[in-house]
Amino acid sequence: MTELPSNTVPPRSVLDAFGVRGTPVPLVGGQGRSVLAGGFVFKPADGSEDEVEWAASLFERLAPHSGFRVPLPLRAADGRSVVDGWAAGAFLAGETGPQGHWDGVLGAGRAFHAALRRVPRPDFLDRRTHPWAVGDRVAWGEQEFDVIEDLAAPFSALLELRRPVKPDAAQLIHGDLTGNVLFAADEVPGVIDFSPYWRPPVFAEAIVVADGLLWFDLPRDLLTSGSDHPDWQQMLVRALIFRLVAYSGIVGTSGQAQPGEPERYARAIDVVVRKLAALRA
């Protein structure tokens, strides 16, 4: 068993508060911060305690849904969803997509978003300042941002491609579905690591396709998966801006992109501009 650094292991006091026994075992994924103990996944809480409590209450309502699985949050004996900075939920079995499961990822997202349609917009979305929240606002023209020099050319190209879109109903969406849908035999897909944003659901689908263009071998037919939407190409442009700005924010203003990163975005832009137009024709 791999030994975990002490700061990535919940202390015994946290396990006791949640009523869990067992030795924490590292889990693949989760940015190396998730551990399994007593059949539950523990990880440092993302965001404020109010945000985590909101997400826990939401998943408790969604857990019985028949179209997808979500991990039922674990609460401490006193009802808290966060104890000393740690949160926990039931372990969901399954392998992660998207390779071999692209249609399943998109289908799970559609079912998940249908269930979220009437959930009110949480106020904390306006207070978030992490790189992905900034990337989302920049993608939709709500904030300006100076990317690192290495990514200035593809960022400029994307801004030139961005056009206004027709008004579309925004709602709560999962902005990071690509690697966060689980597939197991005889089970509906499991949706984990909820990253909430307030955008049209088609934007979440565009992020999955953009991720496929950037980091995976996206099946050709999925490039037009949302082409029945009048602004599908613009959603893809915004999805690429979202990922590029978030990556730039993680690197930092004085940092440099990994070798090949600018070219990665240039290739994705070329596909969106040229090949999508050819496929439509």
Side-chain angles (χ1 to χ4, degrees):
M1 182 180 70
T2 303
E3 184 176 352
L4 291 168
S6 59
N7 63 346
T8 63
V9 179
R12 174 50 57 186
S13 59
V14 169
L15 297 180
D16 288 344
F18 282 104
V20 171
R21 299 185 179 276
T23 302
V25 177
L27 287 172
V28 176
Q31 299 178 335
R33 305 185 308 156
S34 299
V35 300
L36 181 65
F40 296 94
V41 177
F42 284 79
K43 66 178 182 178
D46 290 323
S48 66
E49 291 194 9
D50 287 346
E51 293 177 46
V52 179
E53 173 57 35
W54 171 86
S57 297
L58 175 64
F59 269 41
E60 285 169 343
R61 298 197 301 272
L62 293 176
H65 200 279
S66 60
F68 55 83
R69 295 174 291 150
V70 293
L72 186 63
L74 180 65
R75 291 188 178 274
D78 59 6
R80 287 179 293 168
S81 58
V82 180
V83 175
D84 294 339
W86 287 88
F91 174 75
L92 292 188
E95 64 174 9
T96 58
Q99 296 291 59
H101 298 287
W102 288 100
D103 288 332
V105 170
L106 294 174
R110 290 165 188 159
F112 186 69
H113 293 142
L116 296 178
R117 194 166 293 144
R118 292 181 174 82
V119 177
R121 187 181 189 278
D123 292 339
F124 66 76
L125 293 180
D126 295 325
R127 300 191 295 269
R128 298 188 305 180
T129 58
H130 57 65
W132 296 273
V134 173
D136 170 65
R137 295 186 191 112
V138 174
W140 288 86
E142 298 170 357
Q143 181 176 336
E144 295 184 353
F145 187 81
D146 293 324
V147 302
I148 58 176
E149 185 177 352
D150 292 351
L151 296 176
F155 182 53
S156 178
L158 286 165
L159 291 182
E160 289 180 6
L161 288 169
R162 189 177 61 188
R163 299 286 185 274
V165 296
K166 296 177 181 178
D168 206 349
Q171 64 161 78
L172 200 62
I173 66 167
H174 192 320
D176 194 23
L177 282 166
T178 309
N180 289 313
V181 180
L182 302 175
F183 299 91
D186 302 321
E187 294 273 10
V188 294
V191 179
I192 60 173
D193 289 346
F194 185 31
S195 296
Y197 297 87
W198 191 260
R199 299 297 177 196
V202 69
F203 180 57
E205 189 164 321
I207 293 172
V208 173
V209 173
D211 288 351
L213 291 173
L214 290 169
W215 297 297
F216 301 94
D217 184 16
L218 181 77
R220 180 184 176 90
D221 62 313
L222 287 186
L223 183 60
T224 56
S225 63
S227 59
D228 57 337
H229 190 281
D231 290 311
W232 174 239
Q233 188 178 49
Q234 284 297 312
M235 294 298 168
L236 290 173
V237 168
R238 284 160 170 74
L240 290 172
I241 295 174
F242 167 63
R243 288 303 193 200
L244 186 151
V245 171
Y247 176 77
S248 180
I250 294 169
V251 171
T253 55
S254 61
Q256 293 181 322
Q258 292 291 326
E261 203 69 19
E263 293 77 14
R264 184 192 307 277
Y265 281 93
R267 288 192 299 270
I269 293 169
D270 180 71
V271 171
V272 170
V273 173
R274 300 179 187 277
K275 294 187 178 180
L276 183 58
L279 286 171
R280 280 181 167 177

